[in-house]
Amino acid sequence: MDWDDARYVLALHREKTLSGAAATLGVTRTTVGRRLKSAEDRLGVRLFDRADDGFTPTAAGEELAETALKLEAELHVTEGRILGRDAELRGRLRVATVDFIFAGFPDVFAGFIERYPRVDLTIAVSHEPVSLLRREADVSLRLTNRPPNGLVGRKLGRMQIEAYGARTLGRRAKLADYPWVANDERSDGTWYERWFAKHAPGARVSLRTDDFAVQLRALSNGIGVGFLPCFIGDAHPELRRVGARLTNEARDFWALTLPELRHNSRIRAFLDHVYEAFQPHQRALAGLPAKKR
């Protein structure tokens, strides 16, 4: 039994489903199933009972998961000591993301800089997916429900989108009664047009833009209403929701890199840091109110 097998068993023990374990590990559910079967064949025991509602560990699976949990804790302590050495965390790190991710969570990036001051961090902002294969970036913080084949990483959360407008616009009887701020026609706005035709037929588009800063300023100044990630819209007191949630447009949020780079000390440190740093932001990403203390 090696650690990699135990890691898969521990993920399945925690998540209860192949899909959940796969998301945690940054692999496909087929890979999780194959690794579980391999571990059971190697050990000659059944580690989980399969049912419609998920996987339940057997006594052997429970024991192995407990051992794996202890191993994981010890590895994290050791890894933290190693990654904390200045000699291990010097050099350049290029991270690609979209502008509103940095705008919404600057504390995540500031925390990494404070934690690893000798890493030369570059944030590359682009609305188009960068090519990690061509080394346009070392890590990509990407919104996608289907991470590209050939990349590995960690799922950081799930982002919900909703329509927001300035409070000064007041409440309108129908969505079509609002003026709208929409995507630039040069952008992929086909889903916008479909949405308008179904939910706000005849709505007037007062402004189109492909720039996030322009869009946010336009919404805040009452030029129109438009769609924003909930963590952005909810953070602006001058904005409020107008009752249009894009449930089908929700996106998983991933930190991705190339398989051959995931053991690089700087990249591994960044992946671990953003995974931990985004845990307190899960409700904000999902557009849910903060828990009452």
Side-chain angles (χ1 to χ4, degrees):
M1 192 74 187
D2 61 25
W3 162 243
D4 215 32
D5 286 334
R7 190 166 63 94
Y8 279 79
V9 170
L10 180 57
L12 189 56
H13 182 271
R14 284 170 168 161
E15 301 296 333
K16 310 302 182 189
T17 66
L18 293 177
S19 297
T24 299
L25 295 167
V27 299
T28 65
R29 64 192 308 275
T30 303
T31 299
V32 177
R34 185 175 67 250
R35 294 301 297 265
L36 174 61
K37 184 178 185 305
S38 174
E40 290 181 328
D41 290 346
R42 188 179 297 112
L43 293 171
V45 296
R46 190 175 72 258
L47 298 173
F48 290 88
D49 291 322
R50 285 78 164 170
D52 292 339
D53 58 347
F55 285 67
T56 302
T58 63
E62 194 73 51
E63 184 175 353
L64 180 55
E66 290 178 4
T67 301
L69 184 61
K70 295 175 183 177
L71 283 171
E72 181 187 59
E74 292 179 7
L75 284 171
H76 283 171
V77 170
T78 302
E79 185 178 59
R81 287 200 299 265
I82 293 173
L83 293 178
R85 297 173 186 167
D86 286 346
E88 293 291 334
L89 282 177
R90 297 173 184 265
R92 302 181 65 183
L93 178 66
R94 187 175 181 85
V95 177
T97 188
V98 289
D99 45 13
F100 56 80
I101 291 296
F102 188 89
F105 303 105
D107 59 305
V108 171
F109 301 91
F112 180 81
I113 293 168
E114 182 179 359
R115 191 174 180 181
Y116 304 110
R118 296 183 183 274
V119 174
D120 182 6
L121 179 64
T122 297
I123 301 296
V125 173
S126 173
H127 291 283
E128 300 296 328
V130 302
S131 173
L132 298 184
L133 286 173
R134 293 197 298 269
R135 298 307 300 273
E136 293 175 355
D138 303 306
V139 177
S140 177
L141 299 182
R142 184 175 297 184
L143 295 160
T144 176
N145 290 336
R146 300 183 64 182
N149 292 331
L151 298 182
V152 298
R154 309 192 75 170
K155 181 179 173 182
L156 306 180
R158 185 165 177 82
M159 188 191 77
Q160 182 63 58
I161 302 170
E162 191 151 340
Y164 290 82
R167 296 180 183 277
T168 55
L169 281 175
R171 294 287 187 184
R172 308 288 173 94
K174 297 182 297 184
L175 292 173
D177 294 337
Y178 290 103
W180 283 81
V181 175
N183 282 350
D184 188 329
E185 292 173 333
R186 293 172 299 177
S187 305
D188 180 15
T190 55
W191 68 268
Y192 254 110
E193 304 309 322
R194 291 195 303 268
W195 187 90
F196 279 133
K198 182 176 181 180
H199 299 283
R204 178 175 65 88
V205 175
S206 58
L207 178 69
R208 295 182 185 272
T209 180
D210 61 356
D211 186 277
F212 165 71
V214 172
Q215 179 193 23
L216 185 59
R217 203 67 179 268
L219 298 182
S220 300
N221 282 274
I223 292 177
V225 300
F227 292 108
L228 289 174
C230 288
F231 66 84
I232 293 289
D234 292 341
H236 285 262
E238 67 272 26
L239 296 177
R240 66 181 174 191
R241 302 183 188 190
V242 300
R245 170 166 287 209
L246 295 180
T247 304
N248 293 335
E249 298 296 329
R251 291 289 182 267
D252 289 337
F253 181 33
W254 289 84
L256 300 168
T257 189
L258 294 170
E260 59 267 29
L261 296 180
R262 61 181 169 180
H263 297 302
N264 173 282
S265 60
R266 295 186 301 278
I267 292 173
R268 182 64 181 274
F270 184 80
L271 293 177
D272 287 346
H273 172 81
V274 293
Y275 179 78
E276 296 169 5
F278 272 103
Q279 293 312 299
H281 297 303
Q282 296 301 300
R283 294 183 67 83
L285 279 166
L288 299 173
K291 286 186 176 180
K292 295 181 180 180
R293 296 183 177 180

